[in-house]
Amino acid sequence: MGNIVLPLSYLIGSVTFIIGLKMLSHPDSARRGNLVAAFGMTIAILATIFLFRDHEGNALGNYLWIFGGLIIGSIVGTLAAKKVQMTAMPEMVSLFNGMGGACAMLISVVEYHHNPSPATGTLIVIVLGMIIGTVSFAGSIIAWGKLNGKIKDKTIPAGQAINFLLFAGIVALAVAVIGGFSTAPALFYGILALAALYGILFVMPIGGADMPVVISLLNSFTGVAAAFGGFLYDNPVMLTGGILVGSAGTILTILMCKAMNRSLKNVLIGSFGGGAKAAASGGGDKQQGSYKEISMNDTAVLMAYASKVMIIPGYGLAVAQAQHACHELEKILEDKGVEVNYGIHPVAGRMPGHMNVLLAEADVPYEKLKEMEDANDEMGQTNVVLILGANDVVNPAAKDDPASPIYGMPILEVEKAEHVIVNKRSMKPGYAGIENELFFKPKTSMLFGDAKKVLQDLVSELKQV
Amino acid sequence: MDSIAQLFTDPATYRLLTIVILSIFLGIEVISRVPSVLHTPLMSGANAIHGVVIIGAIIVMGQAPSDDYLALTLGFLAVILGTLNVVGGFVVTDRMLEMFDKKKKKK
């Protein structure tokens, strides 16, 4: 009986992954899709634990260890995922992705440790799985560090040449190990070390704002690493699950790049390091003009007597956890007869859809969230635009400065509105590390401070107007 | 050359190869048009799915000789990390998507 149930369980697993991914790509069914895939995963895992037999028909042992690991992992994973702040979710995903990569790496290491000279085919699978898993692990940890600000953007001199050399080194060592030229374990662990270094240096120079794209790419890497595990154990569910994520992840990565109107190559190689320098030298003279500040009181009056206000949220809103205060402001303005809408840039915040999720949490009605095109259409009739901690997505350089690294990215054209009020904590440039000319325009007024505090003050001012 | 020919002549390998090729196309087809709002949850969901690597970890763990402490330790670590990937991945995705549910009810 057992020998039928196991393949059947794997088949169910594979099918639920496909259906799950399909459902995840539609807003109405997304949440159920996630549960469907989780259900299939549970079945596949349980079936493996109890029904797996090796070639000699032996069942698995070490149940205490297996369940110990599963229980610890489940408790820690659930707590981490439940506790994490809305704003920190992308880095959490990156961290979990790294765990998957590390898992694939460890599997290869243990298999190699069991048998350092297996059949060539098996050895290829072990080595490749280890390389990709390690790159994904190391890269994800760097991406995680970048997103939570622990690791700063760094351009490494001759970084591309070093990366190329590392890559060549990995290939050479892999050929030596697989070809059987040397059976020294040091070689195998040498590959591991190089792969880890490669993962770190690969992500290091990429700007923090591009991290979601990188995470998505590393996500598909881990998928491929999992698929190598499927080859190793002749396991169909690992193979389908891994490859599906590998290919779907690649497509998703490309889609994300498209949303920013950039190519994947541009994100990975033409990272902001080189581009920002060009912008600084090209546009240095016209920037650093003078900006003007606006008082809380003036802002309140300006907004209260506007007929149409557009709020443009960005990462600053997310950091300050100001979504509820923002909804407060919207309500009090609506009570005064002002029409309030939100202009949502597709890549505002640290991940696509970040702002929608945040504002939905604060119960902002769905209809008020305007997508970029609609928001730009309405901009001309808008009296006041209030920018809350957004920067690069409203930077006019994306439209008129070909030297700018974000040139070509569609932006919210706030300059079409009558007044622009920018709330920021300081004049520091945004995540892409480039100056924003918008702040120096005559139409623009700056309102410095933490988004949450500013919004609360604004609400109390408005009550007195 | 022999090993390449083997990909097609060995039935087991050929079967795996077929699965790989078909899965690649399937992955591309399934994710053809996704609204940008869903990019992150989808990435997160896919992230949880590749946690299927846990199955490999379970097999490694289950086959480790009980006196091989290195294999036991690394295998144990692999099971923990794999589980983190699966469980954490699905839970975090669910939390992201919870927001969409709320939004729809308001509608």
Side-chain angles (χ1 to χ4, degrees), chain A residues 10-71:
Chain A
Y10 283 165
L11 196 61
I12 293 174
S14 301
V15 171
T16 57
F17 293 166
I18 297 166
I19 296 175
L21 273 181
K22 182 86 206 161
M23 290 169 79
L24 268 168
S25 47
H26 295 283
D28 294 341
S29 56
R31 197 173 180 196
R32 264 178 299 132
N34 185 48
L35 294 179
V36 166
F39 170 75
M41 183 74 79
T42 314
I43 289 188
I45 291 174
L46 289 178
T48 308
I49 297 177
F50 295 110
L51 301 172
F52 181 85
R53 298 289 180 271
D54 65 10
H55 296 303
E56 284 101 50
N58 297 318
L60 293 173
N62 302 321
Y63 276 115
L64 218 58
W65 291 81
I66 294 180
F67 281 107
L70 285 174
I71 290 168

Side-chain angles (χ1 to χ4, degrees), chain A residues 90-103 132-148 151 195-196 198-204 211-223, chain B residues 43 47 50 85:
Chain A
E91 62 217 56
M92 204 70 223
V93 173
S94 182
L95 201 58
F96 288 141
N97 182 46
M99 301 296 107
C103 181
I132 300 175
T134 309
V135 169
S136 180
F137 167 60
S140 298
I141 298 301
I142 299 296
W144 168 74
K146 284 211 171 196
L147 279 177
N148 66 18
I151 300 173
Y198 183 78
I200 293 171
L201 294 181
F202 168 69
V203 179
M204 200 54 112
M211 274 312 125
V213 176
V214 175
I215 296 172
S216 176
L217 188 69
L218 292 173
N219 191 28
S220 58
F221 278 12
T222 314
Chain B
M43 171 173 89
N47 172 51
H50 71 49
N85 187 179

Side-chain angles (χ1 to χ4, degrees), chain B residues 56-97:
Chain B
I58 291 172
I59 296 175
V60 154
M61 185 78 249
Q63 290 180 338
S66 50
D67 56 346
D68 185 345
Y69 290 106
L70 182 70
L72 285 175
T73 314
L74 293 182
F76 184 59
L77 202 58
V79 173
I80 293 181
L81 294 179
T83 316
L84 272 175
N85 187 179
V86 173
V87 177
F90 281 124
V91 174
V92 103
T93 313
D94 192 60
R95 267 195 65 194
M96 287 182 194
L97 293 168

